[in-house]
Amino acid sequence: MNLRLLLLLIITALLNACHPRPKHTAEVSDYPHIVPDYVGVTIPTGIAPLHFAMPEAERMEVELSGTRGEKLHSHGTYAKMDLDQWHQLLSANRGDSLTVSVTALVNGEWRRYRPFPIYVSADTLRAWGLTYRLIPPGYESYGQMGLYERELRSFSERPLLENSEISRGCINCHTPLPSEPETFTFHVRGPHGATVVSRKGTIEMLAPRNEALGGSMVYPYWHPTGSYIAYSTNDTHQNFYSTHSRRIEVYDNHSDILIYRPDSHQILLDSLLARPDRLESYPTFSPDGRSLYYCTAQRQDSIWKNYSLIRYDICRIAFHPETGRLGTSVDTLVHASRSGHSACMPRISPDERFLLFALCDYGCFPIWHPEADLWMMDLKTNHTFPLRQANSQDAESFHAWSPDSRWIVFTSRRTNGLYTELYLCHVDSIGHASKAFCLPQRHPVQFMTETPYSFNTPDFAATPLRSSSKELRDRIMKAERIPTELQMQQH
Amino acid sequence: MEKKHQDIPTGQKADGRKHTMPFGMLTVLMGIIVFLTCLYPLRALLNYYEELHLFRFSGAYLRDLAQSWSGLREIVVSFITQFFYNGLTGALTVALLFVALHWCLWLWLRQCGKSRVMLYAASFLPSLLLFVCGFLPRPLLTDPTFRELLTYHYLMRTHQWQPIVWKAVHSSPLSDYSLRVANFALAMQGKLPDDMFALHQTGPLGLLSDAGTGNHLPSAAMSDIFLQLGLVADAERMAFDALQFIPHGRRSGRLYRRLAEANLAGGDYRVAAKYLQCLSSSLFYGRWARRQLAHMGDETYFSSQYGHLRSLIPTDRNQLIPPDKGQWLADLYRLHPENRMALAYLWAYDLLSGRQSLVLQHTQQALQKGYQSTLPLPVQECIIGNWLLRGEGQGTPPIPASEELISHTAALLQSLGQAAASPQAAPTGSYWHYRMEKEMQKKP
C-alpha cells in the first residue's frame, strides 16, 4: 500500500514537473479576459465553484484569497476548484469579497493580470437548486429536449423527463410552485399530448386541449396555495426572417387567460381576460395570492404583417382565492406600449416589493429579440428602471425570483447571440442589481463550445424532486386523460 | 487426380502441415468483394451513416461518452463511421473490419475442430450476419423510396448534378424529396426551368418544402438549396431541423459544417465559432474548421470566401418570410435581380403552381430588370399558350415571341387537346402537358 502511495506521489510530482510554472512574469494592467466573465460579480454562498478559463492561455495559475482569510489555488488549463475548499472559502468571506489573481501563459509568455474581485453576498441563496428545460435550436421538429434539475452548490444535474422517453413530444414550460417542488405543471405536445399537473407528487394527466376553450393550456403560474393555476391559452405561430440578426418571430393570433382549479378540473374563463379585441398572456399570481398580473396587447388584423405593432402592457386584476373569481377592474401598471415598447413575463418578488419583467420593442416572445432586457418596477413607488448590471446586448428573458427576493435567475444569449445560458444576479433591498454571473459549469469552455442546448424556463427549487421520471413517463405514455370543464364568467 | 484432390482438402497440405494460403486468398477475395460493394452500390449508405456521427479527438468528448456502455459503443461506431467521409477510406474500413472479424474467428475456430473447411466457411457467418443485420438498415432492403433517397442525397452532397438529372430523366423520382434534388441539380446547371419538364413534375412540393419528415435527409437537402439561393438564415434553420432527426442527440459533421458556413456567410462569427471549435477536433472536418478559426475577425478573408453568397442575402431585417413561397421567391428576386437562381426558382414555382398570370408578371419584371438571355422555353410556352387560349392570337403577344414559337405552342396545345381523351398518347415534356396532367388529377 505504502509503495503504491509512494509511486502515486512520484508520478504526481513528475507530472507536475512537466507543467510549466511562471518564472519571469510580465505585469498586465488589465483584468484577464476570462470565460465566463466572473470579474466583479456578486455571488451567494452555496453556489458551485466558479470555474473559468482564458481562451488564449495555455496554462493558468490562479489564486483566490478571501478578505477575511482562506486561500485557494488552482493551476492547469483552466481554473478549477475543489468543491469543499471553495465552499469553505465562501463561508469564511460571506458579506465580503475574494481577490482573484490570474497568471497565464499566453503565446509563450507568463503574464500576471490585474487581480479582480468577486463579492460574496451576505444574502444566502435560499434554494437547493434550479429546474429548467434544455432544448437545441430547432423550429419545426423536436429532437432531443428535456426538463432537468441542477443542484446549485455543485455541478450535479439530473433529467426529470427527456422527450426521448415519450416518443419525442415537445415538453414545455415546466412551472413549479416555488415553495413545493413536487407541485408542478407542464405541457406535452405531440402524439402523447397532455397537460401534466402534479400536486405534492400526485400526478394528473389533463386532456391536452379543451374543445370549448378552443386550445390548450400554455403559460402557467401557480397560486401560492396550490389550489389554482392561472394559464394562458395561446394560438401561437412562428415566422422566420431571412437575416441572421433576427431569426424568428413568435406571435399569438389569439390568447386569453384562464384559471384552472385542480380539485374540480374546472376552467374559469373570465370575459375580462378573454377579450376578443385583445391578447392576454403570461399570468402571474402575486405572492399573497390576491392579485393576478398579466400582459395584454391590442390585437391586430393581419398579425403576420402587423406583428411589429403588437405591444404588451402589464396589468393587474384582483383575485379572490375564496371563490376563485377575478375582480372587475383592471389596473395598468407598466404602460410600455405608450413608449413604443412591449412588456411581458411579469414576475413579482416574493416580498411583493418588485415587479420584474422583460421589455422589448414589440411582441410577446422576448427571447428572440436581441434588444430584450430585464426591467424592474418598484411597486412601492411605481418607479420603473432597467437592470443594467444584469442586461447585455443580447436577449434577456425567462426570469424567476429566489424565495428571499434577493436573487434572480434568467436566460441570456450574451455568449454568442444564439444559445441561451442561465445567469444569476443579486438584487438588493432597493432593487439595485449587481453584475450577473453565468451558472457555473464544471468544464466552462467545453460547455460553452460544445453544448448543443439552450436553457429556458428556469426556476428555483427548494428541494430536489422526489417524483421519478419513470412514473411521469409511464403516465404520459398511457392514453388516460382527464377532461377539463369550461365555465364562462361574463361581465 | 480426382482422388488426390479429395484426399487433400483445402487448407491441408499433403505433408500434414497447416495450409492457410487458399483460405487466406479466399478471405482476401471476400474482403475485396466487401470493399467493392461498399465503394459502389453502398457508397450512398456510407455517406448517410457518416452524416449521423461526428467523432472527435477530444478528451472532453471521449470522457463524457466513456461513462456508459452505450457511450463506449457510440465511441466505437463514431470512430469507424468517420472514415465513411471518403468513399475509399470508408469502403476500406468496412472491408478491413469484415476481414479482421472473420480472420480472428477463424483463428479461434481452427483450434477446436477437425473439419477445417466447414469451420472456415462458418467463420464467415458472423461477419456476414453483422454486415447484413447491423450495417444494412432494413429500409434499404425493403423500401425503394429510401434507397432512392440515399442515392440522390449522396449525389447531391458530392455535386454530381449531371448524374442526378440523368437518373431523374430515366426513372421518375419516387418522392418529392428526390424530385427536389433533381430540380436543384437542374438549377445548379443553369437549366431550371428550361429542362424541368423533362422530369415528371408533381407540383410545387417537388421544388421547395421546409417540412422535415422521418429522417434528416430532406431538411439537409433544403439547407443546400436555401444556401445556394442566398437564404443563409433559412439554410441554418433547415440544418437545425435536420439535426433534430439525428438519433440520440448526436452531432453531425456535415450539418455542423453547414451551420458554421451559414453563420460565416451571415457574418455571425460568434455562433460560427461554436461549431468550428467542435469540428476542429474531427479528422475530416478539422483542417477546414481550424483554417476558418484562424481567420476569425479577418473580414477580407471571409468576404472573399462568402462574397457571392453575401451579395444575395436579403438585407431587409424587418422582413418576415411570407407564408406563400412564391411571394417569398418574388421578394428575393426583387431585392436581388442578379440572383439568377432565385429567378429560376421563381419561374419554376409559378409554373408548377399553375399561376400563369404570375409567370407573365415575373417575366415582364425580369425583362424590365435587364434579363437578356433567351427566356426559358416552358416560360415562353406558358405565356404564349395562355395568350392563344384567351383568343388574343391576332394581337401583339405579351412577350417578344417568334412566329415559330407561336406556331409551335399552338401546335402543342392542339395536339394536347386532341389527346385529352387518351392522355397517355399526349406529347410529354412540356408545361402544357404538366397542366393537362394536373387538370386530369382534379377530375373525379
Side-chain angles (χ1 to χ4, degrees):
Chain A
M1 193 63 188
N2 284 341
L3 191 65
R4 278 186 189 173
L5 190 66
L6 187 66
L7 207 62
L8 191 70
L9 283 172
I10 291 169
I11 291 170
T12 311
L14 282 173
L15 283 174
N16 234 15
C18 293
H19 292 149
R21 282 289 170 80
K23 286 176 186 165
H24 307 291
T25 57
E27 297 292 326
V28 180
S29 59
D30 295 329
Y31 289 139
H33 171 59
I34 60 170
V35 287
D37 178 9
Y38 290 137
V39 175
V41 296
T42 300
I43 60 170
T45 54
I47 191 74
L50 303 190
H51 290 181
F52 63 86
M54 286 181 69
E56 70 272 31
E58 296 159 47
R59 303 271 312 162
M60 294 171 72
E61 296 281 335
V62 178
E63 183 189 89
L64 294 93
S65 55
T67 313
R68 295 184 186 172
E70 300 280 340
K71 275 189 180 177
L72 208 158
H73 292 268
S74 167
H75 57 88
T77 51
Y78 67 98
K80 51 186 180 295
M81 299 102 187
D82 174 79
L83 193 68
D84 294 333
Q85 286 179 17
W86 165 259
H87 286 300
Q88 210 174 322
L89 179 69
L90 292 198
S91 300
N93 290 280
R94 185 177 160 201
D96 216 310
S97 64
L98 313 178
T99 301
V100 185
S101 307
V102 176
T103 308
L105 182 61
V106 179
N107 296 331
E109 179 192 50
W110 282 101
R111 298 176 184 173
R112 193 195 313 275
Y113 292 85
R114 182 180 167 194
F116 66 86
I118 291 177
Y119 304 102
V120 186
S121 172
D123 295 320
T124 310
L125 187 53
R126 297 183 194 282
W128 166 82
L130 295 170
T131 58
Y132 44 79
R133 179 170 74 153
L134 289 178
I135 179 171
Y139 309 102
E140 312 275 2
S141 320
Y142 314 120
Q144 199 99 348
M145 68 163 77
L147 303 173
Y148 298 82
E149 67 179 7
R150 152 91 193 254
E151 188 183 28
L152 277 165
R153 62 171 286 113
S154 74
F155 302 104
S156 169
E157 182 189 68
R158 146 181 119 90
L160 301 177
L161 182 69
E162 291 177 324
N163 76 333
S164 53
E165 301 172 272
I166 53 164
S167 306
R168 306 215 172 275
C170 177
I171 309 170
N172 47 30
C173 290
H174 171 268
T175 305
L177 176 64
S179 57
E180 171 53 63
E182 301 295 326
T183 299
F184 60 84
T185 179
F186 64 90
H187 190 73
V188 178
R189 279 190 281 163
H192 301 284
T195 297
V196 181
V197 176
S198 166
R199 289 199 298 161
K200 296 186 177 174
T202 305
I203 298 170
E204 286 188 334
M205 296 289 148
L206 306 183
R209 272 179 70 86
N210 180 307
E211 292 309 326
L213 183 68
S216 52
M217 305 197 286
V218 184
Y219 301 121
Y221 201 90
W222 283 89
H223 189 268
T225 59
S227 303
Y228 303 97
I229 311 171
Y231 288 97
S232 59
T233 177
N234 307 58
D235 173 23
T236 303
H237 295 258
Q238 57 181 15
N239 266 87
F240 302 96
Y241 294 98
S242 278
T243 58
H244 263 93
S245 54
R246 307 164 84 192
R247 286 177 163 83
I248 183 172
E249 199 61 58
V250 180
Y251 54 86
D252 291 336
N253 262 340
H254 296 276
S255 63
D256 296 323
I257 286 173
L258 55 96
I259 307 292
Y260 172 68
R261 192 195 284 257
D263 284 336
S264 59
H265 304 126
Q266 284 177 329
I267 291 171
L268 174 72
L269 194 64
D270 190 303
S271 61
L272 268 179
L273 300 190
R275 287 174 52 175
D277 61 329
R278 295 197 69 84
L279 302 162
E280 296 93 355
S281 196
Y282 295 118
T284 303
F285 283 111
S286 60
D288 69 0
R290 305 206 75 84
S291 303
L292 183 77
Y293 292 76
Y294 63 99
C295 64
T296 175
Q298 184 68 43
R299 244 192 119 247
Q300 300 287 332
D301 292 328
S302 304
I303 290 183
W304 174 72
K305 283 184 181 167
N306 297 322
Y307 66 92
S308 61
L309 301 177
I310 303 173
R311 297 196 169 95
Y312 287 79
D313 298 320
I314 293 177
C315 295
R316 176 173 58 192
I317 189 169
F319 179 74
H320 307 292
E322 305 79 15
T323 58
R325 302 276 162 173
L326 292 160
T328 52
S329 65
V330 171
D331 295 331
T332 302
L333 292 178
V334 181
H335 215 139
S337 60
R338 266 193 200 154
S339 58
H341 292 96
S342 187
C344 43
M345 300 181 175
R347 288 287 182 267
I348 311 297
S349 62
D351 63 6
E352 309 221 22
R353 172 77 188 268
F354 299 108
L355 160 62
L356 181 63
F357 58 95
L359 192 80
C360 54
D361 287 349
Y362 57 86
C364 63
F365 220 67
I367 198 162
W368 283 110
H369 282 241
E371 80 282 2
D373 279 337
L374 295 180
W375 281 61
M376 192 98 93
M377 172 181 261
D378 186 335
L379 293 172
K380 266 190 180 172
T381 61
N382 283 352
H383 174 54
T384 304
F385 54 94
L387 292 190
R388 293 194 197 286
Q389 290 290 306
N391 293 324
S392 73
Q393 294 298 308
D394 288 294
E396 276 78 34
S397 65
F398 281 120
H399 37 278
W401 286 96
S402 71
D404 63 352
S405 306
R406 287 292 166 268
W407 299 91
I408 57 171
V409 60
F410 58 95
T411 64
S412 176
R413 289 192 199 274
R414 68 189 64 181
T415 300
N416 56 33
L418 177 61
Y419 289 81
T420 48
E421 288 164 359
L422 293 187
Y423 279 75
L424 291 113
C425 176
H426 179 257
V427 179
D428 69 14
S429 58
I430 53 169
H432 288 162
S434 304
K435 183 175 173 180
F437 65 97
C438 187
L439 178 68
Q441 300 295 337
R442 190 190 302 276
H443 305 289
V445 172
Q446 180 198 341
F447 176 80
M448 283 190 177
T449 57
E450 298 210 352
T451 182
Y453 298 107
S454 275
F455 288 82
N456 66 22
T457 61
D459 223 322
F460 287 98
T463 59
L465 201 70
R466 289 190 303 275
S467 311
S468 76
S469 65
K470 184 181 178 306
E471 187 187 358
L472 269 176
R473 181 194 65 201
D474 291 348
R475 296 289 300 277
I476 291 170
M477 295 303 282
K478 280 182 186 165
E480 169 215 338
R481 296 290 182 267
I482 300 169
T484 50
E485 182 196 332
L486 182 67
Q487 286 187 344
M488 294 291 298
Q489 184 174 359
Q490 297 291 342
H491 286 277
Chain B
M1 284 296 283
E2 277 180 35
K3 190 169 188 310
K4 188 178 176 186
H5 275 290
Q6 282 171 1
D7 288 345
I8 307 168
T10 314
Q12 187 82 29
K13 284 186 178 175
D15 59 5
R17 281 187 293 122
K18 285 177 183 174
H19 175 135
T20 54
M21 199 55 185
F23 284 174
M25 283 181 69
L26 203 57
T27 300
V28 169
L29 186 66
M30 284 300 285
I32 290 170
I33 291 170
V34 171
F35 173 77
L36 292 175
T37 308
C38 289
L39 191 58
Y40 296 107
L42 295 182
R43 178 66 192 96
L45 180 66
L46 296 191
N47 172 68
Y48 173 71
Y49 281 137
E50 193 274 336
E51 292 187 5
L52 298 179
H53 298 85
L54 176 64
F55 182 84
R56 286 172 292 151
F57 293 90
S58 143
Y61 160 78
L62 295 170
R63 184 190 57 227
D64 282 356
L65 282 178
Q67 289 172 6
S68 66
W69 284 111
S70 61
L72 286 170
R73 179 182 166 276
E74 183 69 33
I75 289 175
V76 173
V77 172
S78 294
F79 180 79
I80 293 167
T81 48
Q82 71 179 326
F83 296 104
F84 298 178
Y85 178 86
N86 178 298
L88 210 60
T89 54
L92 199 62
T93 304
V94 178
L96 285 175
L97 282 172
F98 182 91
V99 167
L101 180 63
H102 146 71
W103 197 250
C104 288
L105 200 68
W106 162 234
L107 290 179
W108 178 65
L109 282 176
R110 75 177 187 179
Q111 308 294 327
C112 51
K114 289 178 182 174
S115 177
R116 288 178 165 271
V117 177
M118 290 297 289
L119 287 175
Y120 180 75
S123 67
F124 276 109
L125 283 178
S127 309
L128 280 169
L129 272 173
L130 192 67
F131 186 73
V132 174
C133 302
F135 186 67
L136 303 179
R138 182 177 287 182
L140 189 80
L141 306 171
T142 58
D143 182 356
T145 310
F146 181 73
R147 274 201 298 275
E148 184 190 79
L149 199 120
L150 288 188
T151 308
Y152 273 101
H153 192 74
Y154 167 66
L155 293 173
M156 184 181 192
R157 184 175 179 183
T158 48
H159 297 186
Q160 297 187 53
W161 311 124
Q162 189 50 41
I164 292 175
V165 174
W166 187 90
K167 184 174 166 56
V169 167
H170 286 84
S171 167
S172 289
L174 298 171
S175 67
D176 282 337
Y177 165 78
S178 304
L179 185 56
R180 235 170 274 152
V181 175
N183 280 322
F184 179 59
L186 283 175
M188 291 303 288
Q189 292 180 309
K191 294 177 181 172
L192 186 78
D194 304 67
D195 291 354
M196 64 184 286
F197 291 107
L199 315 180
H200 182 252
Q201 298 291 343
T202 56
L205 281 178
L207 195 67
L208 290 173
S209 169
D210 47 12
T213 47
N215 56 51
H216 76 280
L217 304 179
S219 298
M222 279 313 301
S223 181
D224 282 7
I225 296 171
F226 284 143
L227 194 72
Q228 291 302 323
L229 280 166
L231 297 165
V232 292
D234 304 279
E236 180 197 59
R237 176 163 59 89
M238 295 318 292
F240 277 139
D241 277 342
L243 272 173
Q244 305 287 320
F245 290 102
I246 305 290
H248 312 302
R250 282 191 215 114
R251 291 154 181 81
S252 156
R254 186 199 175 188
L255 293 172
Y256 262 44
R257 177 169 171 155
R258 165 53 41 76
L259 289 171
E261 285 170 332
N263 282 285
L264 289 172
D268 206 340
Y269 299 121
R270 289 187 302 169
V271 179
K274 184 178 173 84
Y275 305 116
L276 291 171
Q277 275 158 358
C278 196
L279 290 171
S280 63
S281 53
S282 68
L283 187 60
F284 290 97
Y285 301 92
R287 186 193 283 185
W288 174 82
R290 287 190 294 273
R291 196 167 57 239
Q292 309 303 309
L293 279 171
H295 284 96
M296 274 295 160
D298 180 354
E299 197 56 41
T300 316
Y301 174 79
F302 289 113
S303 292
S304 69
Q305 294 283 304
Y306 298 101
H308 172 66
L309 261 182
R310 286 180 173 183
S311 72
L312 303 178
I313 296 173
T315 48
D316 184 354
R317 65 189 295 272
N318 292 319
Q319 178 69 51
L320 278 177
I321 296 170
D324 173 28
K325 289 193 173 53
Q327 182 62 45
W328 181 19
L329 291 165
D331 288 349
L332 188 62
Y333 176 64
R334 179 176 49 78
L335 289 167
H336 294 287
E338 72 281 11
N339 189 343
R340 294 296 289 265
M341 188 174 268
L343 178 61
Y345 265 85
L346 175 60
W347 267 327
Y349 195 87
D350 288 343
L351 290 167
L352 291 176
S353 52
R355 301 190 293 190
Q356 294 165 4
S357 59
L358 289 178
V359 177
L360 175 61
Q361 184 187 322
H362 294 141
T363 303
Q364 286 170 336
Q365 280 173 8
L367 292 170
Q368 283 165 12
K369 287 175 191 283
Y371 182 88
Q372 291 184 337
S373 310
T374 308
L375 288 172
L377 186 61
V379 171
Q380 296 188 54
E381 284 178 351
C382 169
I383 294 170
I384 297 301
N386 202 29
W387 173 67
L388 290 170
L389 286 173
R390 285 202 311 268
E392 298 170 6
Q394 303 305 314
T396 312
I399 54 166
S402 63
E403 281 300 321
E404 189 187 354
L405 174 74
I406 294 171
S407 53
H408 154 80
T409 310
L412 181 68
L413 288 172
Q414 191 180 4
S415 59
L416 283 170
Q418 287 165 356
S422 54
Q424 305 301 329
T428 58
S430 69
Y431 166 74
W432 288 105
H433 177 257
Y434 166 77
R435 288 303 314 155
M436 187 181 79
E437 270 195 342
K438 284 283 162 195
E439 292 302 320
M440 299 292 285
Q441 283 169 9
K442 280 185 196 167
K443 289 181 182 171

